[in-house]
Amino acid sequence: MPTPRLFASLKACIGDVVFGMEDGAVSIFGLVFGVALSTDDPRAVLVAGATGAAAAAVSMMAGSYLDAESVRDARRARRAEAVDAAQSRAAVEAVALALSRGGMAGRDVNQVTDALRRAPRAALGLRAELSDANEASPAAQAFWMFASDLFAGFTPVLPFAFLPMETARIVSLSLTALLLAALGVGRGLVAKSSIPRAVFETLAIATSAAAAGVLVGKLLS
């Protein structure tokens, strides 16, 4: 049963999940349909799609980890730089606001901020720690990127493992369209933007990828 910690990790990495699912579904959908329309052998489609989905998921996982690690290293490097007055004031104000929102009494907040003004590096470090506490670790981001990319990548592939070629094409197209539509709805809800627009954008991108895959498949066949 999923634990609260797992849900917290998922919430912190929701951007990676959305990106991973969109990348997996769109890229492998294009690959699968490029192969599916150039051959009548479902096994060829299955091998190409499964290989592509696995390779893409591992690649995205590695890229996500390296990107998150680079951002963390850059943040640590900035902490070691010289502290100017503006940075110090901003850090103290951010810490004071966080403490107030957390329920600390005003008098106690003032005592903490007075102490931090006398130690500007400590103020910057504490502010950075508060920011880090709300972010997922590079390993967590890499895990969710891998899981979401692999799940979405295999969605258009699996029908070719169990169904005849003609049926598999239709089922693959339908499942992928449903997944992308759901992803568009999720994007709209997370961003609090227009859901129909998000769905349209997601499906339009997938259609373009599929068209590119089909075109290359036709040219090569």
Side-chain angles (χ1 to χ4, degrees):
M1 183 176 180
T3 64
R5 185 175 180 181
L6 184 64
F7 280 122
S9 175
L10 174 60
K11 183 178 179 180
C13 298
I14 192 65
D16 296 283
V17 171
V18 171
F19 181 36
M21 291 189 69
E22 190 165 14
D23 176 83
V26 169
S27 60
I28 304 305
F29 179 61
L31 169 65
V32 162
F33 266 77
V35 178
L37 294 180
S38 63
T39 181
D40 291 323
D41 182 7
R43 180 175 175 79
V45 181
L46 178 62
V47 171
T51 302
V58 172
S59 176
M60 292 296 289
M61 176 184 67
S64 177
Y65 180 84
L66 293 175
D67 177 64
E69 190 73 9
S70 297
V71 170
R72 174 172 288 189
D73 289 344
R75 186 181 297 140
R76 288 172 178 169
R78 285 196 299 270
R79 293 179 201 173
E81 294 175 353
V83 180
D84 60 33
Q87 288 177 315
S88 177
R89 284 195 300 271
V92 171
E93 290 171 4
V95 172
L97 181 61
L99 293 176
S100 297
R101 288 177 174 175
M104 180 178 284
R107 184 178 61 184
D108 294 333
V109 171
N110 290 335
Q111 290 178 347
V112 172
T113 53
D114 287 341
L116 289 175
R117 289 190 183 99
R118 295 191 295 270
R121 287 192 181 278
L124 284 174
L126 182 55
R127 181 186 184 185
E129 291 296 332
L130 290 173
S131 298
D132 289 347
N134 294 323
E135 296 181 0
S137 67
Q141 290 178 263
F143 167 77
W144 286 112
M145 178 65 77
F146 173 78
S148 58
D149 197 284
L150 190 67
F151 170 78
F154 268 93
T155 298
V157 175
L158 288 179
F160 294 94
F162 305 105
L163 300 171
M165 194 62 172
E166 289 298 328
T167 306
R169 287 171 179 154
I170 297 173
V171 173
S172 176
L173 175 62
S174 301
L175 288 178
T176 305
L178 287 174
L179 175 63
L180 290 168
L183 183 59
V185 172
R187 287 179 57 208
L189 292 174
V190 170
K192 294 182 172 56
S193 60
S194 171
I195 292 178
R197 179 179 177 180
V199 172
F200 174 77
E201 288 177 346
T202 306
L203 291 175
I205 292 171
T207 301
S208 300
V214 170
L215 177 62
V216 173
K218 287 292 185 182
L219 290 174
L220 293 178
S221 62

